[in-house]
Amino acid sequence: MKALIIGVDAGCRPVFDDLRETNSIPNISALAAEGLSTELESQIPPWTPSAWPSIYTGSNPGKHGVYGFVTFDGYDWEVSTADHVRARTLWELLDDHGRSSVVVNAPVTYPPADIDGAIVPGFMAPEEPRCHPEGLFEELVDEIGEYRVYPRYSRDDERRSDEEKIDEYRRLARMRGDAFRYLADRFDPDLGFVQFQKTDTVFHEFEGDPEHVRRIYEETDEQIGAILDACDPDCVFLVSDHGIGQYENFEFRVNEFLRDRGFLNVSEGGKGMPSWNPIRNQLRDGDADRSWDPGLAGRLARGVSRVGVDPRALLDRLEHVGMADAVRRHVPDGVVRATSKQVDFEASTAYMRARTELGVRINLEGREPDGVVAREEYEAVRTELMDQLNDVQTPDGKPVFEEVAPRERYFSGPFAEDAVDIVTVPRDFSEFLSAQLLGDQFGPPTEPWNHKLEGVLIAAGDGVAPDAAVNNAHIFDVAPTVMAAMGVPYSDRMDGTVLPMVSDTGTAPYPAVDGTTLP
């Protein structure tokens, strides 16, 4: 194995420093001591489904096309998949050079690409996903006994104790290690890529509980050590897509602000804005459908709510009339969403589609299906919105935003128009942004632990200069640096550059993804 990429979602120096004090990550610590360790700046937006494609394509979302958990088509949306990643991945570029790869659990890799090697899709794939080559999932289960993408419980399942949930997370980490070691032995790849996701989720679900975090990272570190021992790669890159930390200030509800300022209208019920909860439940159940619909339970609940009946009081009755599956699948989230106020996209001037996009979209005529803002008014409306957002202060008199910027400052490429029109970067990533309509503009953070911009990069092994002066490393730099470490030129379409701890191999033109027109 020429190069190994180990993805530790949300890995960052503050977390690693705390874990080193209890000797919980000896293998990660040994890698850092042997090689080079530096902060790795994430992108905007710094969330898993957009940031990992940026890492393995070396390009910004305006070139690869994925901005979040869902991809929008007008006012509708569907789960982001590998079909939406429209820049060529690291393993596809290496395939052009006759270099093979084994990729395990990389987010947004379903359906898998056809390469020399193996791909086991990760986060955002349905449970028991189709792998590459065909039939690999069944072979993997036969060999290692069990493999799952998601835990066996939903996050709001109160029937399981925290201890049981953490044990399940640890099992998932072991599955990643077992699968990768088996496939590395089976395919003998030039490149290995294995990603651990629960190092992020443990913060979201358990609000940074130190003991829960320690147990997940201990298991992850043990699997990293076993992979290094079994594969003995020439060089190793440990990479995170973003950092993690506490949000100690306020939640700012952008759509409530837009509603109060006259830019946004609401409607009763419906599919509304994307919510990860029902999508996650579908994927965990093995459902490959890319979108979510309120379904029968949701439509009934919405209907009865209009005549003054509380839909939650009907849940038991719905189960007794043969609707147990629908109830379990979409309640409480589906019913709550189907009966609550939602953004009326068609009737609004501007809105936040999803909080993880970090920005506001303008309902532009000729671009959106029912756009209300004329093209000649676009810049005036955008400037007015930016000015008003720039002035927003928290209840204690501090600015909500570190930056309010036009999208062109962050996104470029053939898919830049799919982005928000106004990028809103929260101050120090300590103010939580929400797209929900909850009455007031401010409240306590829905998730007290969430993403920060500063992740981490550790590089060690042959050809890596541990004393190199690396400043301002960015996630876009990972793909070109790995390609250079493997002795091949990186794509001239990448936004990143080769970090100076390896020798630069220069750029080369590569074929584009079918159906795209790139500059």
Side-chain angles (χ1 to χ4, degrees), residues 73-86:
D73 181 11
Y75 312 118
D76 205 357
W77 45 267
E78 61 182 10
V79 178
S80 296
T81 71
D83 290 337
H84 297 111
V85 179
R86 289 165 287 183

Side-chain angles (χ1 to χ4, degrees), residues 254-264 266 341 437:
V254 177
N255 282 334
E256 286 290 5
F257 170 85
L258 295 173
R259 183 185 183 192
D260 289 347
R261 297 298 178 97
F263 292 102
L264 181 145
V266 301
K341 288 183 172 60
L437 293 163

Side-chain angles (χ1 to χ4, degrees), residues 451-465:
H451 297 187
K452 303 284 187 176
L453 271 184
E454 295 79 22
V456 69
L457 167 67
I458 299 172
D462 295 350
V464 175

Side-chain angles (χ1 to χ4, degrees), residues 102-340:
V102 163
V103 180
V104 172
N105 204 51
V108 202
T109 52
Y110 175 86
D114 182 7
I115 61 167
D116 180 8
I119 298 178
V120 179
F123 188 59
M124 308 293 284
E127 195 65 280
E128 299 186 7
R130 174 167 58 85
C131 301
H132 172 77
E134 196 74 38
L136 183 65
F137 183 84
E138 292 74 17
E139 175 189 333
L140 190 60
V141 171
D142 287 343
E143 290 293 333
I144 70 172
E146 183 182 26
Y147 191 87
R148 285 179 280 107
V149 178
Y150 303 101
R152 281 180 168 160
Y153 68 90
S154 60
R155 188 177 294 185
D156 56 359
D157 186 350
E158 297 180 356
R159 295 170 297 178
R160 294 178 184 253
S161 67
D162 285 359
E163 182 74 15
E164 291 174 307
K165 292 178 179 180
I166 293 298
D167 285 344
E168 176 73 344
Y169 276 16
R170 287 166 63 93
R171 275 193 291 274
L172 290 173
R174 288 194 292 274
M175 289 175 196
R176 309 296 176 248
D178 290 346
F180 185 81
R181 289 191 298 274
Y182 167 72
L183 294 174
D185 182 63
R186 158 101 152 73
F187 289 89
D188 189 24
D190 297 297
L191 172 74
F193 190 119
V194 58
Q195 192 259 17
F196 295 91
Q197 183 67 35
K198 295 309 172 187
T199 49
D200 170 276
T201 317
V202 66
F203 286 95
H204 293 287
E205 184 169 359
F206 298 103
E207 297 186 1
D209 180 277
E211 180 61 17
H212 295 335
V213 170
R214 181 189 64 78
R215 293 189 64 208
I216 297 306
Y217 271 83
E218 278 186 347
E219 185 64 56
T220 300
D221 186 82
E222 185 174 327
Q223 294 304 315
I224 289 171
I227 288 170
L228 293 173
D229 288 343
C231 300
D232 192 24
D234 292 348
C235 59
V236 182
F237 299 88
L238 188 147
V239 181
S240 63
D241 55 338
H242 53 74
I244 199 86
Q246 197 163 5
Y247 280 42
E248 300 176 306
N249 297 321
F250 294 89
E251 172 174 297
F252 177 58
R253 297 154 188 162
V254 177
N255 282 334
E256 286 290 5
F257 170 85
L258 295 173
R259 183 185 183 192
D260 289 347
R261 297 298 178 97
F263 292 102
L264 181 145
N265 290 306
V266 301
S267 60
E268 296 290 336
K271 184 176 178 178
M273 297 169 294
S275 172
W276 179 239
N277 289 339
I279 296 171
R280 179 183 57 213
N281 291 343
Q282 281 187 188
L283 295 172
R284 193 187 66 246
D285 293 342
D287 189 344
D289 286 347
R290 293 183 174 182
S291 193
W292 172 78
D293 186 87
L296 181 56
R299 289 193 293 273
L300 280 177
R302 185 167 66 247
V304 298
S305 72
R306 288 172 178 163
V307 294
V309 179
D310 181 1
R312 296 163 185 81
L314 295 180
L315 298 185
D316 290 337
R317 299 180 193 177
L318 290 172
E319 287 187 314
H320 287 304
V321 293
M323 294 184 60
D325 289 343
V327 171
R328 293 190 189 100
R329 192 180 188 106
H330 296 305
V331 173
D333 190 81
V335 167
V336 170
R337 291 175 62 76
T339 59
S340 62

